[in-house]
Amino acid sequence: MAAGENGAGKVEWRIRITPEEVRARELTACSIARAGRSLRENGCVLLAPALVRHELCVAASERAVADLRLLLQRAARTYPGRDPLRDRIYSAELCNRTDHGRRYDVRIDAALCGPPWREIFDAAREFTRPVLREAAI
């Protein structure tokens, strides 16, 4: 089994980083290489443990729910006779792809968003940029 592969010969997509990397806010060359390989070969990578403070994630979750409510209200006004909780809807900000679906795709524009999203993007960027460079994306 090669380094970075699981027992099935697949490239690991979950990369464990050390507490030292989290404290330093910088990945080691080894972690960058492993994460880049996962991104190239799997199309995804998860750096663990969490790199963003829990409080920011909670605030983002609360903000996302509030924003979704506003977008659903706007969609109900924009598309009279359609129920955004029941019907498919498509707009620049919101998408419900299936009838009676409860999974909404919501666009978060990093350039326009404020707290807590800006802080989350900034915190994640420190770790993602070197991985994206390594993966040549």
Side-chain angles (χ1 to χ4, degrees):
M1 176 168 52
E5 292 183 358
N6 64 19
K10 302 279 185 182
V11 174
E12 290 289 343
W13 60 270
R14 184 175 188 201
I15 308 300
R16 290 196 107 0
I17 61 173
T18 66
E20 292 78 24
E21 289 173 290
V22 175
R23 274 193 298 279
R25 308 296 302 160
E26 187 175 347
L27 297 175
T28 63
C30 179
S31 292
I32 291 169
R34 291 176 59 222
R37 181 175 180 209
S38 174
L39 193 53
R40 275 191 313 275
E41 296 191 24
N42 297 324
C44 66
V45 64
L46 172 69
L47 300 174
L51 304 172
V52 177
R53 292 188 341 265
H54 178 74
E55 301 80 32
L56 279 178
C57 294
V58 170
S61 174
E62 291 169 353
R63 170 83 185 266
V65 169
D67 289 350
L68 178 59
R69 282 192 185 114
L70 291 172
L71 290 170
L72 290 170
Q73 290 169 357
R74 186 182 308 157
R77 288 191 306 272
T78 303
Y79 304 104
R82 302 197 74 191
D83 179 355
L85 295 176
R86 187 190 69 227
D87 301 324
R88 294 179 193 191
I89 55 171
Y90 302 93
S91 72
E93 300 107 351
L94 179 68
C95 176
N96 181 14
R97 298 171 191 271
T98 60
D99 291 331
H100 303 284
R102 291 297 174 117
R103 192 191 93 203
Y104 298 93
D105 297 333
V106 178
R107 180 180 175 169
I108 300 172
D109 190 336
L112 301 176
C113 67
W117 293 111
R118 169 60 50 207
E119 295 170 72
I120 289 174
F121 289 141
D122 289 345
R125 188 176 295 119
E126 296 173 78
F127 293 95
T128 56
R129 279 191 173 148
V131 172
L132 292 172
R133 271 194 301 273
E134 174 70 21
I137 293 179

